[in-house]
Structure formats: C-alpha cells, structure tokens
Amino acid sequence: MRALILSFLLLILGADARLSAQENSGVQGQLPRDTIQVVDTLVTAVNQGDFSSVEFATVTKDSVIFDLKDDPLASKMDSLWLSELSNNTLYEELYTTITDLDYEPVEYEELPTELLKERLKAIDAKTPFNVEYNPQLESVIKYYLKNRRRSMGKLMARSNYYFPMFEEALNRHEIPLELKYLAIVESALDPTAKSRVGATGLWQFMFTTGKIYGLDVSSYVDERSDPLMATEAACKYLKSLYNSFEDWDLALAAYNSGPGNVSKAIRRSGGYTNYWNIRNNLPRETAGYLPSFLATMYLFEYAEEHGFKPTLPSTPYIATDTIKVKQLITLEQVSRYTNVPVEQLQFLNPSYFLGIIPVVKDENYVLRLPVQAVGPFVANEDAIYGLATQEIAQREKPLPQFVAQDAKIRYRVRSGDYLGKIAKKYGVRVSQIRRWNNLRGDNLRVGQRLTIYPRNPGRSRASSTTTTQTNSQGAKVYTVKQGDSLWSIAQKFPGVSVENIKSWNDISGTALKPGMKLKVSKG
C-alpha cells in the first residue's frame, strides 16, 4: 500500500512512476520529509477508513484541494462576472419589454428602412420562419437597438455557453436552429428564471407541462432549471406544436400561450392562419412574442454590424463535463474540495436550487464541472466522499433527508427584517430566498410569508453561538471550526463577503484549517 501511494505521488509530481516496491524504498531517502509524512498519513487513513487527519491542501497539484495563489483583483472580477451571469434582473427587463411594446415608430438613423428590408430578406432566405418586413417589426428592432445595448452584451456572453448545447439538441430533433433565440425571449438565458405564474427555467416550463415532458420537481431538484433536460423537453414540445399547426410562427405562439389560445385566435380572425393576421386576437404578451423573437434573431445575426460584443467573459460549454454523483454532496463542499468558486458551480448546476446534489434510486443526478476540475475530482472521489460524509456527520443537525417533512418552513416577516438578515438566520443565500418565493427585488412587507428551506432544519444559525475576539487593531477575529468555509463564515457576519475576508487576511485561496484565526472586520 505504501509503495502504491508513493508511486501515485511521484506520478503527480512528474517523477517516474514505474517504480517497484524495492525502488520506492530506495528513493524515499531522496524525497522531502513532508512528502514522506503525507505518504504515512495517507496509508493510515486508507487502512483505518478515516480521512480526518489528511491535509490535502499540502499534497500536490492533483489533490482534492490545491491552494493555488491568485491575483485578488482578477479573483474579484471573476466573482463579479459569475454573479452577473446568474443575475435575474436581465430576465425582468426583457419580460417587461415584451408585455409593454407599443409599436410606435422609432428613429434610428444607423439602420435605414431599406437596409433593414434587405437584411430581413436575407434572414428569411435561410430560415423557415416568416421574416417579412412590416412597420411593427421595424419598430421593435429599432427599439431594441436603442435600448438593449447593455443587455445584448450580457446575452451574448451567456449565449456563448448555452447556444452550442441548444444547437446540438435542435439539430438532433431536426427542427430549426434559430429556435435557440427563443430561450432569450423566454428567460434571457437564465436557467433559474421564474415568471409571475410559476413558469421556470431557460424554456419556462409550467409545472404540469414540465411533468408531461419528463421534468420532475422534488425537494432538492427542479429539472425545469436543468439546461440539458429542459432543452430536450423544449425540443419535443416545439416539434409536437409544429406537427399540430404546420407553421413555426404559430408553433411559437402556441408555446407561449397554449395551443387553445392560438386555435381561438384563428377562429376569431375568420380563419386566417398567418401569425400577423391573427395577432390582434392573441393575448397581449403573445402578440409581442413573435416580434420579440424575430427582433432578437436580427440583433444576433447582425451583431457585428451594430457593434455588439460580449461584455463579460463566458464559460464555453465544451470546456465542461459531468460526473454522476455517488452520494449526497453539497456544491459548497465541492467548491472547497476542488477550488472551483461556488458561484461558478451554481451557474453550471442551476437545477440544484438548495445547493445539494442528492442520490436517489433510479435518478441520474450529475455534477457539472469545468473540465480541468473533472480529473482531480474523479482521481480523489473516494477521499472527497469520505470527507463529505464526515463533515455531514459532525454537524449538529444533518442535512434534511430527501422529501423530509421538515425540509421547508413558512417564515413570517417581522418589523426590521430584510432578506440578508433572514438568509443569515437560516444559513441560506438571498438569491435562494428570491427564487423560492418568486421575488423581483429586495422589498419585504411586515406579515409577508416566505418559504424557506433552511440549511439546518430546526436550528437557525442565529441561535448558534459565533465566538469572536477583538485584536489589538480593533478587528474581530474568528476561529475556524471543522466544516467551515469562507462562504459559510461570511454568512455569520452581516455585510461581510468572501472577498472581504480574503482581503483582510491577505489570502487568495479557499483552503482553511480548524483553529486558523481570521479577521472578520476591517479594524
């Protein structure tokens, strides 16, 4: 066992791993003392099945945690753009635009009407959608050109990740690739978007429709927010609608308001079947739906001509891969063990709305990771699961069992409450409370009822004792405990972020050790 572990370490360190047990014993004397200690610790841990004494942060570049140093400013910028990618304010902006379109003429000198007609004709020639010029479509396109410059940059950044995924599925189902733009109209490419009536995800499935197309919702997972599963379901639904109406414009209208509303609009119009001829008989939102889709298609097809560029770096879809999880694990634990920021994990795994990946019989729940983190995770998965199991077991209150009755509570807003305070009390994030309760902003009213899925049911963090001391500079100092992470520590102190803690303590990694002293105020 000792020889095997030593060979593994030498392989990672770049040495010749093809060493026999005899050669291993001969090379030991040439290795640093701390490497020999690591081997001893790993051998003991494997033999006893106890990994509590293993400090993976000091092993090698391919270990569970490798404390890589990073530039603080670059790290902060990464954190900001990851937060921006998952921000749902863009969805609100686009949703409001569709419902409030007035189709009044819009002046935009950079796009003369004749040039627009020429470009729309070029688009029409390569798509099965009816992309014909009319003054109302011109109004929407020019309105978007004037008012969506900032949002277009963000949408293009998100599209770099999602569009390859969409195109693969659309091509496989033999339906137009241009339908990838539909997800922009539906959700602004936000997999956690939720409409006022409860439609959820990139493709905005209602609960019942999602069930019909195989998208389940449980205490831990909302498959409507799973990009791959929801895209597959959307393709099937769109193809079914097209088979009914034999027209893609009408299929899109039916996707938005339901086939029944489109059939009624056809009857009320006197039997017309062209979208523009029945539009006045459709619900208001659906009346603006196809114009918004076509305008979005135009903006993306001619983005370069209008100077649109992604305003944020994006994660290429091809640079990610999935791992089937073998036991319950949290995104926070994965972040700590792989050094992938928890915000990036949330972006890549949006269907786990509690930040927990469960293991359920007959379900294939997977973890999506940046490709460079997949190898280290797989190579160390036994150790990772061992550490995760120990951490869960050591908590005063374990994670709730799947479909547990007490996994959800109803909280009544009191005077002086705000989202950050409530989130801290129950050990959750503000974004989660917004999502669970379909909140558009931060405003609360006294007496309002909120659904909360507390991290530790039956015991809030506010009721636990957070011990701090004050140093000679007047800064509060917190002692790291087993199971702590930078994110969980930041949640204990209102107004304190992970970046604050890193800056105040001059650290750039995420690896922590029990007993470590951290400043949690500026001083």
Side-chain angles (χ1 to χ4, degrees), residues 80-115:
L80 288 173
W81 82 256
L82 282 167
S83 298
E84 191 66 40
L85 282 177
S86 57
N87 192 323
N88 65 0
T89 56
L90 189 57
Y91 166 70
E92 291 299 316
E93 175 188 332
L94 268 62
Y95 181 84
T96 302
T97 299
I98 295 173
T99 56
D100 293 344
L101 288 174
D102 58 17
Y103 309 102
E104 292 296 322
V106 176
E107 291 297 324
Y108 195 81
E109 295 181 359
E110 293 86 343
L111 182 61
T113 298
E114 290 306 314
L115 177 59

Side-chain angles (χ1 to χ4, degrees), residues 474-512:
K476 290 182 179 178
V477 177
Y478 174 80
T479 302
V480 176
K481 298 178 179 62
Q482 181 70 31
D484 275 344
S485 67
L486 290 179
W487 182 86
S488 67
I489 294 171
Q491 297 301 300
K492 299 175 187 287
F493 302 95
V496 176
S497 67
V498 170
E499 292 304 321
N500 289 150
I501 298 176
K502 286 185 175 182
S503 174
W504 296 334
N505 294 276
D506 194 24
I507 58 177
S508 57
T510 59
L512 300 178

Side-chain angles (χ1 to χ4, degrees), residues 2 29 41 87 114 120 146 191 199 202 204 221 245 270 278 286 318 325 340-341 377 398 415 452 467 498 508:
R2 182 185 184 85
T41 304
N87 192 323
E114 290 306 314
L120 291 178
K146 290 187 69 172
L202 288 166
Q204 290 290 280
V221 185
F245 292 98
I278 70 169
T286 310
I318 197 172
V325 295
V340 178
F377 187 98
S415 178
I452 307 286
T467 305
V498 170
S508 57

Side-chain angles (χ1 to χ4, degrees), residues 279-387:
R279 194 167 65 90
N280 291 335
N281 294 293
L282 291 168
R284 179 173 176 79
E285 179 184 327
T286 310
Y289 194 67
L290 187 67
S292 294
F293 171 78
L294 296 177
T296 300
M297 185 190 302
Y298 171 84
L299 263 63
F300 269 81
E301 294 292 325
Y302 287 94
E304 185 175 344
E305 287 79 355
H306 289 290
F308 293 128
K309 295 180 180 179
T311 56
L312 300 163
S314 58
T315 302
Y317 175 65
I318 197 172
T320 68
D321 201 356
T322 57
I323 300 168
K324 183 177 179 181
V325 295
K326 296 181 177 179
Q327 70 175 58
L328 184 145
I329 194 168
T330 70
L331 295 183
E332 187 181 335
Q333 288 171 330
V334 174
S335 174
R336 196 169 340 116
Y337 302 153
T338 63
N339 269 351
V340 178
V342 70
E343 297 92 346
Q344 187 172 10
L345 293 174
Q346 291 164 353
F347 173 73
L348 296 176
N349 301 274
S351 60
Y352 305 119
F353 56 88
L354 293 180
I356 299 170
I357 308 177
V359 172
V360 181
K361 185 179 179 181
D362 298 328
E363 294 288 354
N364 293 312
Y365 294 137
V366 297
L367 167 68
R368 183 169 292 277
L369 289 172
V371 70
Q372 69 272 15
V374 172
F377 187 98
V378 173
N380 296 279
E381 63 181 4
D382 289 342
I384 289 174
Y385 289 132
L387 290 168

Side-chain angles (χ1 to χ4, degrees), residues 30-325:
Q30 303 174 30
L31 292 174
R33 179 179 299 176
D34 59 351
T35 302
I36 300 301
Q37 290 173 342
V38 166
V39 174
D40 291 338
T41 304
L42 283 171
V43 170
T44 302
V46 171
N47 289 336
Q48 298 179 356
D50 179 5
F51 294 90
S52 61
S53 61
V54 181
E55 290 290 347
F56 289 96
T58 61
V59 184
T60 68
K61 65 182 179 181
D62 215 16
S63 61
V64 178
I65 302 177
F66 184 63
D67 190 12
L68 296 172
K69 301 299 179 184
D70 193 9
D71 179 83
L73 179 59
S75 177
K76 182 177 182 180
M77 292 174 67
D78 284 347
S79 178
L80 288 173
W81 82 256
L82 282 167
S83 298
E84 191 66 40
L85 282 177
S86 57
N87 192 323
N88 65 0
T89 56
L90 189 57
Y91 166 70
E92 291 299 316
E93 175 188 332
L94 268 62
Y95 181 84
T96 302
T97 299
I98 295 173
T99 56
D100 293 344
L101 288 174
D102 58 17
Y103 309 102
E104 292 296 322
V106 176
E107 291 297 324
Y108 195 81
E109 295 181 359
E110 293 86 343
L111 182 61
T113 298
E114 290 306 314
L115 177 59
L116 175 60
K117 288 181 178 179
E118 180 182 321
R119 289 177 174 176
L120 291 178
K121 189 174 182 179
I123 294 175
D124 184 61
K126 60 181 183 180
T127 178
F129 292 94
N130 299 313
V131 190
E132 299 177 6
Y133 169 84
N134 64 60
Q136 293 176 327
L137 179 56
E138 179 179 23
S139 169
V140 178
I141 290 174
K142 291 185 174 180
Y143 176 84
Y144 283 5
L145 285 170
K146 290 187 69 172
N147 297 285
R148 280 199 179 175
R149 298 209 71 85
R150 281 189 71 252
S151 61
M152 267 297 294
K154 296 177 186 178
L155 289 169
M156 291 180 72
R158 295 180 184 181
S159 72
N160 287 341
Y161 177 77
Y162 287 114
F163 276 7
M165 179 195 309
F166 297 165
E167 289 169 346
E168 186 279 328
L170 293 166
N171 181 66
R172 181 160 34 83
H173 285 274
E174 299 181 337
I175 53 182
L177 297 187
E178 291 83 5
L179 281 167
K180 63 188 178 184
Y181 300 121
L182 181 62
I184 294 178
V185 180
E186 285 288 342
S187 65
L189 297 181
D190 177 2
T192 65
K194 181 175 287 189
S195 75
R196 291 174 176 82
V197 295
T200 299
L202 288 166
W203 301 94
Q204 290 290 280
F205 275 98
M206 294 294 289
F207 185 91
T208 303
T209 310
K211 283 280 189 181
I212 292 172
Y213 287 92
L215 301 177
D216 289 328
V217 179
S218 73
S219 298
Y220 285 148
V221 185
D222 189 339
E223 292 179 347
R224 295 175 298 172
S225 290
D226 183 286
L228 281 173
M229 296 183 71
T231 300
E232 184 71 14
C235 289
K236 293 177 180 177
Y237 187 28
L238 285 163
K239 194 165 187 176
S240 171
L241 292 171
Y242 177 76
N243 289 338
S244 297
F245 292 98
E246 298 183 342
D247 180 278
W248 280 113
D249 293 356
L250 297 184
L252 289 194
Y255 189 92
N256 177 252
S257 64
N261 281 324
V262 175
S263 297
K264 283 185 282 188
I266 291 173
R267 291 188 180 93
R268 288 167 179 164
S269 68
Y272 290 115
T273 56
N274 182 286
Y275 173 87
W276 295 96
N277 294 335
I278 70 169
R279 194 167 65 90
N280 291 335
N281 294 293
L282 291 168
R284 179 173 176 79
E285 179 184 327
T286 310
Y289 194 67
L290 187 67
S292 294
F293 171 78
L294 296 177
T296 300
M297 185 190 302
Y298 171 84
L299 263 63
F300 269 81
E301 294 292 325
Y302 287 94
E304 185 175 344
E305 287 79 355
H306 289 290
F308 293 128
K309 295 180 180 179
T311 56
L312 300 163
S314 58
T315 302
Y317 175 65
I318 197 172
T320 68
D321 201 356
T322 57
I323 300 168
K324 183 177 179 181
V325 295

